[in-house]
């Protein structure tokens, strides 16, 4: 497999380098013709074509008793290419012309002919000069080309250039070889890193990734891959833990639902199939059935509410209410519950009253869950305290009843058995049931998650601090915007 990958990498690099070389050659040829080419009637030619055409035009000239005649094919070429011709004798006098522009003279001096041989594009023409010799006589002729052709003479040391020419050719060849090898090496280097990145991405998807060294040009990419792998692993761990908790919760709540159903079914069968009972026994059996039905209904309502909170479909109707009075009434209701008769529950507040905007039903559910959780999962002698605290500005401290608070906090603490660090981390997660529920398994395992979600709906937050054997403290924080 590795040899095949190397062979494929070499083929890709070879194709890549060949394509680059081909593109470079095409660009070089195109640039060469762009600079040194002209478009003539028969197509694209080099800019040296007018000079060659002028030198070769003499093959269509002939001497007829010291008179110059131009063959028909020569005149036809001049006409096809849009050129003009002027033939001069040895004195520079014009003796023949073809399509010559009127502004050109009919006689030239030797210096004028010499300057025309090096002249550039002027008056819409570039003129080239050549000679025709026959029978010991010489005629000069000028051909005008409608192309802007530059004429430059390069002077150099012929001896040195001739000596250096082979070295220059070898140098160019070695340079091209070095560039080729460099491109091939760079291709292998780049392919190696890209292959490492691709392999890393593939391994992340297969959960078999090993961290890469974060250095070099691709260090930032390797760092991003390492971070991605860490996040994927963390997400997988959280997902596995959530799935484990969900399975445990399903098993627990299934068992918990069966627990109240068993007495309901048993006492219902006694009422239906048993002998005629006294009124007192019927009332006792009905009370047991009703209590277990209420317990079952509570678990079902918890399950329904948690999914409503997750989907954002729970009814939320905030009202302006007196917080201190609301919490006092909630404490009184809990103390009047026969299930918590004789329990030690206290309430304190550093202000007489606070007017706060909240949904009374949802907020009662949240605080109830926390307080009852503290009472249910601690020994009977445990003391539970509810404290309301408001942080005031100096200017508004005397107007507490008008709710000029900066921050409102509700502290629910107990001196019970406490919780471990792991229990605190997972306490507000759905499906979590603490270790204390083994002794008292009543509940759905959703109470604390529901409480946190309700408090967050109100724009607040909740924290927990606990130590084994010293107790637990829940603190609910509300921002200033909760007040009026």
């Amino acid at each position: 497999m590795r040899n095949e990958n190397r062979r494929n990498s070499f083929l890709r690099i070879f194709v890549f380098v060949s394509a680059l070389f081909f593109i470079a050659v095409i660009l070089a040829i195109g640039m060469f013709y762009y600079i040194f080419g002209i478009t003539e009637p028969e197509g694209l030619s080099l800019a040296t074509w007018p000079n060659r055409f002028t030198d070769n035009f003499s093959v269509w000239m002939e001497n007829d008793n010291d008179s110059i005649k131009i063959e028909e094919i020569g005149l036809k070429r001049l006409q096809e290419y849009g050129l003009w011709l002027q033939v001069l004798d040895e004195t520079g006098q014009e003796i023949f012309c073809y399509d010559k522009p009127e502004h050109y003279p009919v006689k030239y001096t030797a210096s004028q002919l010499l300057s025309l041989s090096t002249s550039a594009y002027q008056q819409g023409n570039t003129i080239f000069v050549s000679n025709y010799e026959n029978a010991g006589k010489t005629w000069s002729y000028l051909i005008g080309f409608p192309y802007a052709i530059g004429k430059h003479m390069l002077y150099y040391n012929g001896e040195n250039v001739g000596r250096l020419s082979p070295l220059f050719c070898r140098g160019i060849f070695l340079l091209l070889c070095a560039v080729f090898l460099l491109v091939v090496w760079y291709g292998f280097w780049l392919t190696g890193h890209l292959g490492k990145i691709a392999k890393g991405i593939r391994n992340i998807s297969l959960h078999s990734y090993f961290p890469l060294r974060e250095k070099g040009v691709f260090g930032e990419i390797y760092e991003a891959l390492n971070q991605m792998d860490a996040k994927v692993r963390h997400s997988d761990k959280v997902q596995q833990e959530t799935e484990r908790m969900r399975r445990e919760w399903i098993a627990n709540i299934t068992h918990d639902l069966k627990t109240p159903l068993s007495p309901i079914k048993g006492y219902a069968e006694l009422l239906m199939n048993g002998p005629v009972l006294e009124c007192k026994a019927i009332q006792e059996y009905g009370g047991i059935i009703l209590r277990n039905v209420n317990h079952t209904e509570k678990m079902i309502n918890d399950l329904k509410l948690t999914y409503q909170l997750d989907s954002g479909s729970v009814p939320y109707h905030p009202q302006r209410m007196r917080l201190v009075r609301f919490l006092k009434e909630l404490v009184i209701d809990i103390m009047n519950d026969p299930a918590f008769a004789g329990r030690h529950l206290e309430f304190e507040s550093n202000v007489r009253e606070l007017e706060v905007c909240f949904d009374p039903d949802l907020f009662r559910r949240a605080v109830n869950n926390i307080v009852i959780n503290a009472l249910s999962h601690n020994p009977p002698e445990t003391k539970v305290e509810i404290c309301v605290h408001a942080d005031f500005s100096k200017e508004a401290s005397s107007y507490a009843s008008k709710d000029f608070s900066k921050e409102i906090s509700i502290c629910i603490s107990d001196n019970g058995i406490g919780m471990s660090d792991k229990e605190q981390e997972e306490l507000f997660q759905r499906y979590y049931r603490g270790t204390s529920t083994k002794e008292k398994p009543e509940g759905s395992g959703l109470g604390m998650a529901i409480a946190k979600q309700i408090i967050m709906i109100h724009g607040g937050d909740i924290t927990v601090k606990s130590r084994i054997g010293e107790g637990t403290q829940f603190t609910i924080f509300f921002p200033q915007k909760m007040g009026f």
Side-chain angles (χ1 to χ4, degrees), residues 440-458:
K440 295 184 178 182
E442 296 87 356
S444 61
L446 297 170
M448 301 309 296
I450 289 174
K452 182 178 179 67
Q453 288 177 295
I454 290 175
I455 292 168
M456 293 182 68
I457 286 177
H458 285 80

Side-chain angles (χ1 to χ4, degrees), residues 103 235 265 357 381:
H103 57 270
S235 177
K265 181 179 179 181
C357 184
E381 64 274 10

Side-chain angles (χ1 to χ4, degrees), residues 31 56 58 77 95 108 110 113 125 156 178 182 185 211 247 249 272 279-280 342 345 380 384 397 405 417 458 472:
M31 184 61 65
N56 296 330
S58 59
R77 288 299 178 88
I95 60 173
Y108 297 87
L113 290 176
N125 290 275
Y156 57 88
L182 180 62
W185 172 83
R247 290 179 181 275
W249 177 81
M272 184 179 69
C279 181
K280 185 177 179 180
L345 185 60
V384 179
S397 59
S405 59
I417 59 177
H458 285 80
T472 304

